[in-house]
Amino acid sequence: MQIAPKILIILVCCLACLPTPAAQHKALKVAFGLGRPPFVYEEAGTWRGFELDIMRAAMRELGYEVDNHHLPNARLYIALSDASFAAAVAVQPEPGDNSCYSRESISEYVNVAISKSSRHVTLNRVQDLSKYSVAAWQKAHRNLGREFEALYGPNAEGPHLERYTELGDQAAQVRQFWLNRFDVLLIDKTIFAWYRQQLRSSLPTSESVDMHPIFPGRASYYVVFRDCKLRDRFDQALARLKSNGRYRAAIDSYLE
């Protein structure tokens, strides 16, 4: 059976107008950090994490797939100097930086002091930390406020510094907490909850703890885009994920 020429032309035109998967989901090269579970981390050769999940979900709503590349956190701020990158995830605007930062935060860190209840630690203010042995992440003074910087920053002095430790590996930081190597652990609440779950088969992580909210506010992190129009559309998609519960569900999925 032969197809009439007019019908054939119509069919060809219709097929040409159909969107292809590539057109629907253009790949965008996006920079992410390294080793901050459950925000972003590598497991068995696969990159996972809450920030990656949320970024993928938001960009798929806009018709894009995320081509994730992972860099040291310090390099995220300069990722967009490479024209091949469309965005960098989990950065904070620098003073005077007019780049296209998202208005909606993609993640928030709530830093607290944590102690085992059995140790009866009393912390009403930052200065009280000097009474105890304390462990934190590297360069914690940049994130924990002026009082903490005065107590433990580069220019700090005093015998209390002999009982203060900074560890580059947060897994080791949490593990040593459960092994009673120090009195107080300084860490983000979500990161602590994730490691507590991961270590429960090898350490007594069910022991009761006290959380001391002695640090100011929350540390919010954003996505910086090369294209401000794409930033605006991303903000709308991210706001929808937060309002419909998918954002919270993504976090909770790593803490179950």
Side-chain angles (χ1 to χ4, degrees), residues 3-76:
I3 300 176
K6 288 184 178 180
I7 296 176
L8 182 60
I9 292 172
I10 292 171
L11 287 172
V12 171
C13 290
C14 289
L15 289 172
C17 292
L18 288 174
T20 63
Q24 288 178 324
H25 298 96
K26 178 182 177 182
L28 290 182
K29 187 176 178 181
V30 179
F32 291 82
L34 298 168
R36 290 182 289 105
F39 293 91
V40 61
Y41 63 101
E42 188 178 15
E43 182 178 74
T46 300
W47 283 98
R48 303 188 61 209
F50 158 71
E51 289 172 350
L52 186 56
D53 292 349
I54 290 298
M55 192 67 183
R56 283 172 171 165
M59 297 313 294
R60 279 174 186 160
E61 282 196 19
L62 305 181
Y64 295 96
E65 289 294 337
V66 171
D67 176 17
N68 51 298
H69 293 255
H70 297 266
L71 308 173
N73 292 335
R75 289 186 58 197
L76 290 177

Side-chain angles (χ1 to χ4, degrees), residues 110-125:
V110 181
N111 294 311
V112 295
I114 299 177
S115 64
K116 290 187 175 181
S117 300
S118 59
R119 295 206 171 200
H120 306 290
V121 169
T122 301
L123 295 174
N124 297 314
R125 56 179 187 159

Side-chain angles (χ1 to χ4, degrees), residues 212-247:
H212 312 272
I214 58 176
F215 301 112
R218 298 173 177 234
S220 298
Y221 287 79
Y222 301 85
V223 182
V224 60
F225 289 86
R226 182 175 299 280
D227 182 347
C228 293
K229 291 183 179 179
L230 181 57
R231 182 272 313 274
D232 293 341
R233 296 176 62 208
F234 169 81
D235 273 333
Q236 295 172 1
L238 183 55
R240 287 192 293 271
L241 292 175
K242 289 183 177 182
S243 65
N244 64 21
R246 290 176 64 190
Y247 181 93

Side-chain angles (χ1 to χ4, degrees), residues 204-218:
T205 63
S206 61
E207 188 173 343
S208 176
V209 300
D210 296 325
M211 293 197 179
H212 312 272
I214 58 176
F215 301 112
R218 298 173 177 234

